[in-house]
Structure formats: C-alpha cells, structure tokens
Amino acid sequence: MTDFDLSPDELRRLGLLAVEAVATHRAELEARPVFGKVGVRASLFDEPLPEEGRPFEEVLAFAREHVLPSPFGNSHPRFFAFINASADPVGVFADLMAHAMNPNCWGGDHAAIHVEHRVLAWLASILGLPRETEGILTSGGSMANFTALAAARVAMAPWDIRQEGVGAAGQPRLVVYASDQVHNCVDKAVDLLGLGWKQLRKIASDDGFRMRVDLLGAQIAHDRAAGLLPAIVVGTAGTVNTGAVDPLEEIAELCQREGLWFHADGAYGGMAVVADELGSLFRGLESAHSVAADPHKWLYVPYEAGACFVREPGRLAAAFRRPAEYLVQDAESPLLGPPGFNDRGPELSRAFKALKVWMGLKVHGRRAYAERVRRDCALAQFLAQEVDRRPVFERLAPVGLSIVNFRCRPDGMSERRLDALNRQVVNRLVAGGGFMLAPTVLRGRVSMRVCIVNFRTTETDLLALLDETERCVQQLVGGR
Ligand SMILES: *Cc1c(COP(=O)(O)O)cnc(C)c1O
C-alpha cells in the first residue's frame, strides 16, 4: 500500500529526483527532435488502469524515458509554430510551490488572493489601463476573451439578459464585430454566449491585415437600419496570423461615438507594450472597455495563465455574480477579504496561477521583459530581411511584432502547386526533427509562418531554418 502523505525528508528525497529530471530534460532538449512526435510509440501508453501502485521512483523513471523526451517542443529554440512561448524556469518552480500550497483561489483573505490582485494590477499598469480596472487570471486567452465578452453582453443588452436570455421576446439581436483575422476563440465565445454566428460580422482587413474601420462604420449603420443592435467591437492587438495590430485608436473613437463596447484581444500582442517603442502601435488599447492578455505567451509563463481586464468596476460581477448559501460570509467571518474571483468568471475552484506570474515579474523586473520582447521582434525583422534577400523566397505579409510570413517560390509554378509545395516543405522540416512550424493561409495562399516568442532563439536558428528550407525545396523540385 502506498502512503498519500509523505514526511518532509521523503518529500526532499523525491523532490530532488523530480528536479533532476527537470534539469536533464533541459540539458537534452536541443539534442532531441523539436516536436516529440509519439507516432507508433503510442502503444507505450496503452496499459490497463493499475489496480496496485508502483514505487514513485519506478513511475518517474518511465516518465523520464517515455514522456519528457517527447514534448510539444515550444521550449526549444527552433519551435516557430503557433504562438507558444518557451517556459520560464522561474515559473516552473513557482508552480511547484503553488501546487504544494494548493489554495483554492475563488476568494478569501489568504496570500494567494492578494498575490493575484497584485499581479492583475501590475499587468493592468503595463497595458496602460486605469487603476480602477478589475481583472481575473484565466486559463488562457480564449477564456480571457470569453470572460470579457460575457461582461460586454450583459452591459450592452438593454434588458436583463441573464434573466430573460438572448432571445427575449421583442428584443433586438446583439451584433458583434471583428476583423476577418480575428482569433477563432471569439467565434467560440459568441456561440457560447448565445449570440449566434449570424450576428458576428467579420470586417475585411486591409493590405496590412488590419481591420478596415471605414467598412466597420458602414456595417454598423447597415445593421442599425435593419433593426439589429450593434453592441461589441473586438479589435485585435496582434493577430495570430500575421501579428497585425488593428487601428485600435480609430476603433475606440468609433465605439465611443456609436455607444459600443470596445474589446481588445491582446492575447498575443498586448504584453508587447512593455517595450515602450512599441507603445504607439497600440494607442487606443488603454481606452478599451475590456482587454484580454496572455501571460503564457509574451511573459513566458508556463501554461496556463491568461488575463481578462474590464475597466468599469462591477461589470464583471454583473455578468458572473450568483450568490449561493454555502459561499455567503457574514460580516464577522475571518475568511472575508478582497473581492472574490468567483464573482468575476465562470469558475469556482481555481488554481494559484498568479504565483508564477508574480515571481517572474519580481525575479526579472519589467525592463527584462521589455528587452526580451524587443529581441523577439528584432529577430523577426532579421528573418524578414534574410527572406527578402534570398531569391527562392517570397514574403506574404508585413512583419507584425514577431511574426514573419513567407513562402518558397521556385520559378514557374502554379499557385496550386506552390501551396502543395509549401505544405510539403513544412511537413519535411517538422518530420526531420530540426524545426517546428505550422503553416497558415493568407488571402488564399499557403504561408510558412514563423512566430518567435522564445528567449532561447538566436539568429543562428533562423539562418539554419532558411538553409534547411532551401535544401528541402532543392530536393523536392531540384530535378525538374
Ligand atoms: C493565442 C491567442 C488567443 C487564444 O489564447 P489561448 O491562450 O491559446 O487560449 C486568442 N487571441 C489571440 C490574438 C491569440 O494570439
């Protein structure tokens, strides 16, 4: 029989084994394939539920042999897919301690709650949001956007939408606006909030993949004339495809004029304002009614940590508060403390996600983050220059923050064959183990998209990517 409780000495002994596994994982990271595809080895995990336990050492050894060597790859300097950051080791250890404390972070006057409120205040100040802004840490950007849009839905419906529902008799439909580059978590939120995709308008973007505010204004007028209720505009502060930042200030002004809720999705780009010189790109963000951010992207916090902010106090509670007799505290209760997070989002039990963000910010300081962000963006510029210099490549979008879009374009190939070739090249690069990329599609063309949110990536890694890509193209079309 195993003992669930462990003495401090036993904790030390096993903990050192786990820390050794962490350090070895890091030491061996770059010698292994970037993306740890499991493939046929999946059968290793196919075992029946254990009836009897095994010693910790034995299970740890299996994990070291079969789990740790097959990562998603985002801690590797040559991981360029999606927007997945390298994990800050400070956060790894913070999470260990947070889970050792295991507080339930729905509310109460205990340290974790104060740490979370402090982290939210710090992040809000980076974003330039006013002091009274309220927030909540979420699992990620998707939940941060959902939470903010839930607040917006309640604020913008002229009836009691929580009581009556979205389809209340005699009430108009709420309409949500975003660019055609919006992240699909906004589509999901619109669905989950009962608003319906028919009421989500995707406004065309310009050559720089930024929302066309003239078209936005026209669409709002059109919807009003049709008896609908234009309610929310989602501006993206760093799109997932190209890193484009919508004209946030113009959107803010239009929302002000039209009486709409302006939500800014800063899951990727929001935290980039920590680098002062990027601030002008984000002008208008500070006047959004709500902002989604994602510390597990540009603050390099290990998964999961997102953040939702709503500037007007009480708006989150108006959307989420639902008193229950087992949670109500009398005025004398020692548990009573800062505002509870269960009144600011859909969850009750919540992990202590704030510790890893708080420790990272304290250990590194704001300036170090600014330097990292600046460096990731500079690496993207370096890659774009190199792409532009080599004749086999064609760039498909302006560099947005730290994202570069390009494709291989050998002479005399049809668009269809180019798409197929570029997908093939990406698959080869990933299968070869040296790089991780995920293609996207821009204006109908397949793009090899490179995103750098990684404190380990260097210029050498980017040159190696282009060299290897050229070799792949040579192999695939060289003999024509
Ligand atoms: C990453 C991202 C999201 C989703 O965030 P998750 O943390 O992956 O849930 C939403 N919007 C944008 C612009 C993003 O880049």
Side-chain angles (χ1 to χ4, degrees):
M1 201 181 74
T2 67
D3 197 344
F4 277 93
D5 205 3
L6 296 176
S7 71
D9 280 345
E10 196 58 0
L11 281 171
R12 277 188 196 101
R13 191 178 72 77
L14 298 181
L16 287 176
L17 294 178
V19 168
E20 175 55 32
V22 169
T24 305
H25 170 69
R26 172 64 193 100
E28 294 176 351
L29 188 68
E30 286 164 52
R32 296 218 165 91
V34 178
F35 174 60
K37 185 171 172 59
V38 171
V40 291
R41 287 178 298 133
S43 58
L44 273 171
F45 301 101
D46 186 8
E47 58 174 337
L49 170 70
E51 182 62 27
E52 304 294 337
R54 303 294 308 166
F56 179 89
E57 291 88 336
E58 184 185 314
V59 178
L60 180 72
F62 184 91
R64 288 187 67 164
E65 191 175 347
H66 299 300
V67 180
L68 274 74
S70 296
F72 189 59
N74 46 311
S75 290
H76 194 291
R78 296 185 178 183
F79 182 100
F80 304 122
F82 314 109
I83 304 175
N84 288 200
S86 44
D88 178 2
V90 170
V92 175
F93 292 123
D95 249 358
L96 176 68
M97 293 187 289
H99 292 310
M101 284 178 77
N102 195 31
N104 192 329
C105 294
W106 63 266
D109 189 12
H110 52 106
I113 300 300
H114 292 273
V115 170
E116 182 161 345
H117 278 289
R118 180 46 37 195
V119 160
L120 290 163
W122 284 344
L123 298 181
S125 83
I126 291 174
L127 292 166
L129 298 170
R131 281 185 82 83
E132 67 271 19
T133 299
E134 293 180 342
I136 179 171
L137 290 186
T138 61
S139 51
S142 302
M143 282 310 293
N145 279 297
F146 171 82
T147 305
L149 292 174
R153 183 188 76 145
V154 171
M156 294 306 296
W159 69 100
D160 184 349
I161 200 168
R162 293 182 77 193
Q163 188 66 33
E164 304 292 332
V166 278
Q171 298 296 351
R173 293 281 184 187
L174 301 181
V175 185
V176 181
Y177 304 82
S179 91
D180 57 14
Q181 298 293 306
V182 71
H183 193 280
N184 81 339
C185 73
V186 169
D187 298 59
K188 287 188 187 179
V190 165
D191 167 30
L192 290 170
L193 292 167
L195 302 173
W197 289 335
K198 272 177 71 178
Q199 280 69 241
L200 174 58
R201 304 275 182 266
K202 299 274 179 83
I203 307 297
S205 53
D206 64 16
D207 289 347
F209 298 89
R210 297 150 38 100
M211 192 199 287
R212 293 257 318 258
V213 181
D214 56 328
L215 298 182
L216 170 66
Q219 186 65 49
I220 290 171
H222 182 268
D223 289 333
R224 267 199 220 292
L228 299 165
L229 182 60
I232 304 164
V233 179
V234 179
T236 304
T239 64
V240 62
N241 267 337
T242 70
V245 178
D246 281 338
L248 303 175
E249 197 163 33
E250 283 177 60
I251 295 174
E253 283 163 11
L254 186 120
C255 286
Q256 171 81 27
R257 256 194 332 271
E258 297 278 342
L260 270 63
W261 181 288
F262 170 31
H263 170 68
D265 177 6
Y268 163 43
M271 284 298 148
V273 296
V274 73
D276 298 330
E277 72 279 14
L278 292 172
S280 59
L281 201 55
F282 293 90
R283 204 168 292 133
L285 181 75
E286 71 292 341
S287 47
H289 294 86
S290 55
V291 178
D294 229 355
H296 67 206
K297 286 179 176 166
W298 237 330
L299 295 185
Y300 311 105
V301 172
Y303 293 115
E304 303 165 336
C308 167
F309 299 95
V310 176
R311 75 188 289 131
E312 191 183 330
R315 286 289 178 203
L316 279 169
F320 288 105
R321 204 173 127 72
R322 182 65 164 165
E325 63 276 14
Y326 42 84
L327 297 175
V328 171
Q329 304 299 314
D330 62 71
E332 304 298 307
S333 166
L335 187 67
L336 270 188
F341 291 108
N342 60 315
D343 285 345
R344 293 187 179 184
E347 294 169 322
L348 181 58
S349 296
R350 299 172 67 249
F352 187 10
K353 293 187 284 286
L355 189 63
K356 56 194 168 190
V357 189
W358 185 78
M359 281 190 70
L361 288 167
K362 281 176 78 80
V363 167
H364 301 300
R366 192 198 61 81
R367 188 145 50 98
Y369 289 95
E371 279 161 15
R372 297 318 311 184
V373 167
R374 205 169 280 140
R375 185 170 156 68
D376 286 342
C377 295
L379 284 170
Q381 293 292 347
F382 170 81
L383 176 65
Q385 274 168 24
E386 200 56 29
V387 162
D388 293 347
R389 212 176 58 74
R390 303 191 186 197
V392 72
F393 298 122
E394 175 188 27
R395 210 132 60 70
L396 295 179
V399 177
L401 303 172
S402 66
I403 297 177
V404 184
N405 278 280
F406 64 100
R407 64 175 176 175
C408 313
R409 194 182 181 181
D411 292 333
M413 261 197 193
S414 70
E415 285 293 322
R416 255 213 10 228
R417 289 202 52 212
L418 282 174
D419 284 351
L421 172 72
N422 278 276
R423 284 194 187 279
Q424 253 180 318
V425 168
V426 168
N427 289 340
R428 276 210 181 194
L429 289 169
V430 175
F435 303 91
M436 178 68 183
L437 289 96
T440 191
V441 177
L442 297 178
R443 312 274 188 246
R445 296 176 186 159
V446 173
S447 168
M448 291 181 51
R449 173 183 167 286
V450 169
C451 177
I452 304 159
V453 197
N454 194 320
F455 49 77
R456 298 200 172 108
T457 303
T458 63
E459 294 179 355
T460 310
D461 297 311
L462 300 171
L463 293 174
L465 169 69
L466 294 185
D467 292 346
E468 187 58 26
T469 303
E470 289 202 43
R471 260 196 298 280
C472 279
V473 176
Q474 199 61 43
Q475 283 167 5
L476 287 165
V477 302
R480 281 189 312 153

